[in-house]
């Protein structure tokens, strides 16, 4: 099937998504609230359209790591590979889609997502960056849409597979869409994002570790609630191997913005904490909630918009596997 610029609304509720700070800055999450009115009844569900700006800001902060990753994937594919078609599965606002389009100028790069507004944003971004002629979008609700993607030389998917009930099934389908010699790369896992020291002079020290625990719980609920939720040992190289790929391994890049943070990163941290308070605040005790409120107060010098000790540190792991090109591949 060829890519298209489908702007039809996503059919059925989008799967739920976990709060961002535990799973990388670009991994923005939140409760669906009443936006759109259709799927606010799930307890761990996100309105992705509302998250658009935060997703784009987070991914832009990651741009150096994303560019290095694209270059590394190019090496893995080999100079003679002739990359003709690249897929970005669960592409969000298309930051990596455009990085891939820049890194593989001979290819058509297709952003695949279930949220039409994010695909529109991807097209606008591609136009702005001068790669509009090589970027296409494809609206698909996954996992159903996994089987209508056509083939590709490189398939990238960042923080999307964990929003699908059957993660192994998703990897199997994606690996099956690779041409011989093609590469599947999934950004999953890594380390929770940190942005504050242990003792911030407000409330009980160790707030971020407690926030991580709450987010981890939220994430488990999110996964349990997904349609077709299937437990699996999240050994990504082994899963890629079971999907029929070879040379499966992982590689991690850091986002390391030291204190004092610039305005963009501060605004990002503030938005993440705001989302976290809305999504998982009810799992925190009163003292931690009060601390969060101080951190979020734009007027308070102790807030994340002002404090000198706020930093941004995260680690993103990208797991890769290669589709064999030999006999029987
Ligand atoms: C956490 S965001 C990741 C965005 C981007 N890849 C990144 O890493 O910044 C997850 C994306 O997957 C999409 N998504 C989640 N569940 C989906 C589903 N079942 N079908 C299609 N798209 C889905 C959302 O619309 C969202 O854009």
């Amino acid at each position: 099937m060829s890519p298209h610029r489908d702007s039809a609304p996503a059919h059925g509720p989008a799967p739920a998504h976990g709060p961002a700070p535990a799973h990388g800055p670009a991994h923005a999450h939140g409760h669906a609230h009443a936006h759109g009115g259709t799927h606010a009844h799930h307890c761990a569900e996100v309105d992705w359209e509302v998250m658009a700006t935060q997703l784009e800001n987070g991914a832009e902060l990651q741009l150096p790591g994303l560019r290095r990753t694209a270059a590394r994937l190019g090496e893995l594919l080999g100079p003679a590979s002739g990359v003709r078609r690249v897929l970005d599965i669960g592409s969000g606002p298309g930051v990596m889609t455009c990085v891939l389009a820049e890194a593989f100028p001979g290819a058509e790069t297709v952003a695949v997502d279930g949220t039409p507004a994010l695909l529109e944003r991807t097209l606008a971004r591609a136009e702005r960056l001068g790669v509009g002629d090589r970027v296409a979008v494809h609206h698909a609700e996954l996992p159903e849409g996994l089987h209508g993607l056509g083939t590709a030389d490189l398939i990238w998917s960042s923080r999307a597979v964990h929003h699908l009930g059957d993660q192994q099934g998703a990897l199997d389908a994606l690996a099956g869409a690779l041409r011989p010699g093609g590469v599947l790369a999934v950004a999953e896992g890594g380390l929770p994002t940190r942005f504050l020291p242990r003792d911030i002079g407000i409330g009980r020290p160790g707030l971020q570790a407690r926030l991580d625990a709450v987010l981890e719980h939220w994430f488990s609920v999110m996964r349990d609630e997904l349609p077709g939720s299937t437990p699996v040992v999240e050994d990504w190289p082994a899963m890629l191997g079971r999907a029929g790929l070879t040379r499966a391994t992982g590689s991690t890049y850091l986002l390391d913005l030291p204190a004092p943070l610039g305005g963009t990163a501060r605004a990002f941290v503030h938005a993440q904490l705001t989302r976290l308070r809305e999504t998982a605040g009810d799992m925190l005790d009163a003292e931690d909630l009060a601390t969060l409120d101080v951190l979020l107060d734009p007027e308070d010098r102790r807030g994340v918009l002002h404090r000198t000790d706020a930093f941004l540190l995260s680690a993103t792991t990208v797991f890769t596997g290669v589709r064999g090109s030999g006999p029987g591949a």
Side-chain angles (χ1 to χ4, degrees):
M1 182 191 287
S2 64
H4 58 282
R5 300 186 176 202
D6 187 350
S7 58
H11 33 280
H17 311 265
H23 303 278
H27 184 180
H29 306 71
H31 199 286
H33 295 294
H35 181 93
T38 50
H39 41 266
H41 54 282
H42 282 302
C43 112
E45 202 167 332
V46 168
D47 186 326
W48 289 110
E49 191 170 337
V50 165
M51 297 306 303
T53 300
Q54 183 68 353
L55 283 173
E56 192 160 2
N57 291 345
E60 283 184 347
L61 288 169
Q62 299 270 11
L63 267 173
L66 292 174
R67 292 199 176 108
R68 283 199 304 278
T69 300
R72 198 173 58 75
L73 295 174
E75 286 165 19
L76 198 55
L77 280 154
S81 63
V83 175
R84 292 269 167 253
R85 193 156 184 268
V86 177
L87 299 177
D88 181 353
I89 307 296
S91 46
V95 176
M96 186 56 162
T97 308
C98 292
V99 168
L100 292 168
E102 282 163 0
F104 300 99
E108 173 196 50
T109 300
V110 186
V112 179
D113 204 280
T115 306
L118 292 175
L119 295 175
E120 291 299 324
R121 223 174 158 110
T122 299
L123 289 176
R125 184 178 180 86
E127 284 300 326
R128 209 163 60 238
L129 297 179
V131 291
D133 56 334
R134 289 187 273 116
V135 168
V137 297
H138 177 75
H139 176 241
E141 189 63 30
L142 308 177
E144 298 78 14
L146 282 172
H147 296 284
L149 300 173
T151 60
D153 306 288
L154 171 62
I155 301 180
W156 166 262
S157 183
S158 167
R159 292 177 276 257
V161 171
H162 66 241
H163 293 300
L164 305 179
D166 181 0
Q167 299 182 107
Q168 181 68 56
L171 295 186
D172 292 350
L174 293 174
L178 285 177
R179 295 171 185 161
V183 170
L184 172 59
V186 289
E188 292 287 347
L191 295 175
T193 303
R194 290 296 177 101
F195 37 81
L196 291 168
R198 187 191 68 92
D199 190 339
I200 56 172
I202 322 166
R204 213 155 31 107
L207 175 70
Q208 279 227 272
R210 294 192 294 284
L211 296 183
D212 287 345
V214 159
L215 292 168
E216 206 58 68
H217 176 72
W218 193 98
F219 193 82
S220 295
V221 172
M222 180 280 289
R223 282 221 43 85
D224 288 348
E225 288 181 349
L226 288 172
S229 183
T230 309
V232 66
V233 175
E234 287 166 352
D235 175 347
W236 294 94
M239 291 161 77
L240 290 170
R242 281 201 297 278
L245 303 182
T246 61
R247 296 161 62 196
T249 185
S251 171
T252 298
Y253 68 87
L254 285 185
L255 171 65
D256 180 11
L257 301 180
L261 282 183
T264 310
R266 276 184 195 283
F268 175 78
V269 167
H270 189 271
Q272 292 297 89
L273 279 178
T274 302
R275 181 67 50 183
L276 188 152
R277 200 194 186 295
E278 288 169 3
T279 311
D282 56 354
M283 288 186 263
L284 294 171
D285 67 23
E287 186 182 10
D288 283 346
L289 269 181
T291 303
L292 260 189
D293 286 339
V294 172
L295 289 171
L296 287 172
D297 185 348
E299 310 298 333
D300 196 316
R301 299 302 302 169
R302 298 169 298 169
V304 290
L305 292 180
H306 305 286
R307 49 189 310 131
T308 55
D309 59 1
F311 57 89
L312 196 48
L313 179 63
S314 76
T316 303
T317 304
V318 178
F319 296 98
T320 50
V322 181
R323 174 143 183 194
S325 48

